[in-house]
Amino acid sequence: MNEAVRVRELTRHFGQFVAVDQVSFDVAPGEIFGFLGPNGAGKTTTIKMLTGLLSPTSGTALVAGYDVTQHPDEVKLNLGYMSQLFSLYPDLTVEENIQLFAGLYGVTGGRFAERRDWVLGMAGLTEHRRRSTGELSLGWKQRLALGCAVLHEPPLLFLDEPTSGVDPVSRRSFWDLIYQFAEAGTTVFVSTHYMEEAEYCYRLALMNRGRLIALDRPAALKETLRQPLLELRTDDPPKALEALRGAPGVVEAAMFGRALHVLVQDEHRALRELPQALAARGRSCEALQAVAPSLEDVFVALVRREGGTLDR
Amino acid sequence: MKRISGLRIREMVKKELRQLLRDPRARGVLFVAPIIQLVMFGYAVNTDIRNTATFVVDQDQSSESRRLIDVLTATGYFEIVGRSQGPADLVRALDRSEALIGLEIPRGFARDLSAGRTAKVQIVLDGTESNSATVAQGYAQRIVQRFSLERAAELGLVPEGGVDLRVRAWYNPNLESRVYNVPAVVAVLIMLMCLMLTALAVVRERELGTLDQLMVSPLTAEELMLSKTLPVAAIGLVDLVLISLVAVVWFDVPIRGFPPSLLLAAVLYILAGLSIGLLISTISRTQQEAFMTMFLFLQPAIILSGFFYPISSMPQIFQWVTLLNPVRHFLEIVRAIFLKGEGLAALWPQYLALTIMAAGVLRLAIIRFPRTVRA
């Protein structure tokens, strides 16, 4: 098999609104492919088109070698899907949920018993198998939903913001599971809006307003940021941000937590001159130092370079 | 098209039954509530006239006038709530709704009777309650007529020629409205239950996100609709048998027809009802919307069914509309089988109509379904 996913000029309109705009990319078998972007960037719409939940307005998508619009049945058998809603039946028990999805995918007999026990063990729910799913904690629901999505051992796994709302510890252990799947040869396609999660992916596609604005390994993406990056701490970041715009040597400035990240032409000159420039505009400068760029810096810079604005 | 998978349907039906029947309160709503409702409606939906509040103005005060009043009250249809000799009191009683009907016997009633002249009495009705008033009027007229015939016979005055009208009500000799209404209540209760169980079925899964999870699986639209249909149809049939038993045992409604033909009609009717529910569910975006749409359908379906108001007295255009109403067809079948003892031979048009509706609407729901997901 060639690519696990092959997408060309994929487009989806909702009336006048263009949710996904001519997106093209390939996903290699066995890789963890990340989809990063703010809410409304078109991540979910793309995943829905790839899983057959939504038909594309134009363009093509091959999943596991099958065209999603022409061979939806073959596509369905080859993928597992888990959404941010952890879509299980809250009024069924853990075991009944597993049984239902196993039945839907034709997992029966001895294979069913084996897969069920594997899911229960993986999710840590062996002792809670007869509990109502609605009573479980979010972390448990998330693992059970993942288990139900891979009962039929699909070569491809689509995870749409699988960790939203889950605490950081559960999120980390969920990623350990994703790595295990990838090592076993499963292709994992995961969308997220958590920057630190995006770092775990082998390759990362950045989306904004329906368009794919960059696609590369996380480290390589950071290298695209040629100019040096400084972090500025000040008493009133929003006012300081205004003061920095158009200051000599400043390429770009953006809020970053309670500090400001400033992209400059020359690191040493900026370290010397920026405090004075701020003082001249009546703003203080508590600390100023060079920092390594994060994915968020890359994302902000790329969006600005495209002439767009950030929808946050 | 993909082949329908027995395994997938079996697992989905199991899941539906678990969700429907797990909660004890839900079981109560499904199996006990219809029985309670039937008993309640069976007593409440009653158009018989009993103990109608009657005000009597007897200006004659003779043994003849008292005899007429006695005859009137002896039937049990009328109850004297007040007597007076002045017509003004009657007006007041009707104004205050203390009485529905007034009987006025003028001075000279007995004298006219014994002289062989035509005596006059007057009946005044509260026309705001037109239904009961009309029925009461009919009873009163007949009673007075019989009274005058008896009096004439006693006096040896044989009415010359004339027509003696004898009315006999077939199938329901005492014209008890309960016998007529209870089967109709059965029909409405079954429709309500079918709609309630299916109208929310798909839209609830959409809100929960589980619908997406089902749609990425190999489950087809046909399989999904079948799995939503079969369990509800089974529950509907159990309910029908339960409440029919109550109708027969408790309300003495006779089943004169062949029970299996009633069962066949019930299967078709239930399928039509839940197909409508599923269609509502597939075209609604939220549970709230589905609920509103359901009532938007249910109200006219009951009013245009012939339950309370005869279809033959509706304007022509509404008579045509009722042909699209499954409740109308099922009501006709139910009343005919329960009361008249008819069967398939006489009722085939109604059976055919229900079959076409069930198949057509279910097909429409299946066709409409994928578009709502992929739209």
Side-chain angles (χ1 to χ4, degrees), chain A residues 76 81 89 91 96 99, chain B residues 14 19 22 205 213 215:
Chain A
K76 282 176 179 180
Y81 167 76
Y89 292 95
D91 44 357
E96 287 164 350
Q99 198 192 351
Chain B
K14 263 202 271 183
Q19 289 183 309
R22 169 149 303 160
E205 295 223 16
Q213 206 66 52
M215 289 320 288

Side-chain angles (χ1 to χ4, degrees), chain B residues 175-219:
Chain B
L175 283 174
E176 270 185 78
S177 68
R178 190 170 295 146
V179 168
Y180 186 64
N181 282 329
V182 165
V185 175
V186 171
V188 169
L189 286 180
I190 293 291
M191 177 56 74
L192 182 68
M193 210 211 52
C194 285
L195 288 176
M196 263 190 350
L197 288 184
T198 50
L200 302 182
V202 176
V203 72
R204 190 194 299 121
E205 295 223 16
R206 178 168 306 153
E207 283 190 2
L208 211 61
T210 47
L211 191 62
D212 277 358
Q213 206 66 52
L214 294 179
M215 289 320 288
V216 299
S217 85
L219 187 75

Side-chain angles (χ1 to χ4, degrees), chain B residues 111-342:
Chain B
R111 193 186 59 221
D112 285 347
L113 273 181
S114 52
R117 285 195 297 270
T118 304
K120 291 188 179 109
V121 291
Q122 180 169 246
I123 287 170
V124 186
L125 298 164
D126 178 357
T128 55
E129 292 203 34
S130 60
N131 276 344
S132 318
T134 317
V135 179
Q137 178 201 0
Y139 285 140
Q141 244 165 11
R142 254 183 299 163
I143 292 164
V144 172
Q145 237 164 28
R146 199 181 311 149
F147 174 81
S148 81
L149 283 172
E150 278 169 18
R151 286 293 298 133
E154 280 168 27
L155 290 170
L157 296 170
V158 180
E160 295 156 31
V163 180
D164 179 13
L165 178 66
R166 298 266 165 105
V167 180
R168 286 185 61 202
W170 280 15
Y171 314 121
N172 185 6
N174 300 325
L175 283 174
E176 270 185 78
S177 68
R178 190 170 295 146
V179 168
Y180 186 64
N181 282 329
V182 165
V185 175
V186 171
V188 169
L189 286 180
I190 293 291
M191 177 56 74
L192 182 68
M193 210 211 52
C194 285
L195 288 176
M196 263 190 350
L197 288 184
T198 50
L200 302 182
V202 176
V203 72
R204 190 194 299 121
E205 295 223 16
R206 178 168 306 153
E207 283 190 2
L208 211 61
T210 47
L211 191 62
D212 277 358
Q213 206 66 52
L214 294 179
M215 289 320 288
V216 299
S217 85
L219 187 75
T220 64
E222 282 87 355
E223 289 165 355
L224 177 67
M225 290 298 163
L226 275 176
S227 349
K228 294 277 178 195
T229 310
L230 295 174
V232 179
I235 291 172
L237 269 182
V238 170
D239 270 344
L240 182 101
V241 171
L242 278 179
I243 58 182
S244 296
L245 280 176
V246 173
V248 171
V249 173
W250 188 273
F251 288 113
D252 290 327
V253 176
I255 297 194
R256 300 206 172 94
F258 186 47
S261 25
L262 186 64
L263 218 55
L264 174 66
V267 170
L268 295 174
Y269 178 61
I270 288 169
L271 286 179
L274 49 86
S275 302
I276 292 168
L278 278 180
L279 184 65
I280 291 174
S281 202
T282 47
I283 60 176
S284 304
R285 273 160 304 186
T286 61
Q287 296 197 47
Q288 228 173 351
E289 203 181 304
F291 211 68
M292 299 296 286
T293 314
M294 182 185 109
F295 276 101
L296 227 55
F297 164 79
L298 194 64
Q299 295 277 18
I302 293 174
I303 289 172
L304 297 178
S305 69
F307 186 162
F308 302 107
Y309 316 108
I311 290 169
S312 56
S313 50
M314 292 174 191
Q316 189 62 49
I317 184 158
F318 284 111
Q319 294 194 29
W320 287 327
V321 171
T322 62
L323 290 175
L324 296 171
N325 183 0
V327 187
R328 176 215 159 132
H329 298 290
F330 186 61
L331 260 186
E332 288 176 349
I333 295 176
V334 165
R335 280 174 173 164
I337 290 181
F338 264 112
L339 306 176
K340 292 191 190 171
E342 277 174 17

